[in-house]
Amino acid sequence: MARRTLPTAVAFATTAALVLTACGGSDDSSSDDIKGADKGSSSPSASASASASAAVDRPKITLPSSFKLTFESWTSGNAKEQAVLDDAKEELRAGYAAIIANDPGSEDLAFYDTETGLPQSKKWIKSYTDKNVTVIGELPAFDPKVTLVKNVDGRTATLGYCTDESKASTKDRKTGKVVGNPAGTDPEVFYSVTLRKSAQGVWQNASVTSKRGGCAK
């Protein structure tokens, strides 16, 4: 039940997703040079940036026990990379929370999306809500790869990760019918996301693309 390319009829078109780094791609050692000045999370400016980001009043997102979204190895020794991972994780949680709450206009999701990225996310959510279905089961997100893009403002990052839909399904809100991927469908989906850092210091999804298959766990 991966994001944007979920099972069967409710699958979200790849062209409507956001952009991340390839799953299983190599680490980019230049990521420490983001913002074109600070090197390493131990610098004063990096520490100040991390503190400012942590001080933002982020939404408190909860998911019901009927849908277990897990994040395997979403950690980094680099404070800047960890900030990207933390916000990207919450954006994904906010998206599924919106589906479950039948709320395409979720303010929590809007908090974690840019103005250009939000319409894509709403379209993804509506691919469920328009069909009156929700999501259930388990969905692990794993093998995240962050790249901090070196540019003039240091506010762009890419993230690649994979999900495994083997134990995730959709459930019709009215009939209770549960549907998973058709037999023979590769349950693993790779996502490539582009993120932009807001003035508040929040890493927001700007675009997403997805491709079924190609993940190695």
Side-chain angles (χ1 to χ4, degrees), residues 114-183:
T114 64
E115 289 186 2
T116 55
L118 185 57
Q120 294 178 324
S121 293
K122 286 185 176 180
K123 185 175 180 181
W124 166 52
I125 295 167
K126 284 176 66 64
S127 70
Y128 292 90
T129 60
D130 285 355
K131 295 178 176 65
N132 201 32
V133 298
T134 185
V135 291
I136 61 173
E138 299 178 18
L139 181 67
F142 58 96
D143 200 17
K145 304 293 181 183
V146 177
T147 298
L148 299 170
V149 181
K150 294 174 66 176
N151 58 13
V152 292
D153 63 3
R155 290 180 174 271
T156 301
T158 61
L159 168 66
Y161 68 93
C162 287
T163 60
D164 185 345
E165 301 177 350
S166 299
K167 297 182 180 180
S169 307
T170 60
K171 181 179 180 180
D172 190 286
R173 297 177 188 275
K174 183 177 181 179
T175 67
K177 182 179 180 180
V178 175
V179 179
N181 282 319

Side-chain angles (χ1 to χ4, degrees), residues 34-71:
I34 190 170
K35 290 195 176 184
D38 309 338
K39 289 191 175 183
S41 59
S42 61
S43 67
S45 55
S47 299
S49 176
S51 298
S53 178
V56 175
D57 187 16
R58 288 169 165 77
K60 292 180 174 59
I61 301 164
T62 59
L63 292 169
S65 58
S66 57
F67 183 68
K68 185 177 181 181
L69 180 61
T70 60
F71 297 88

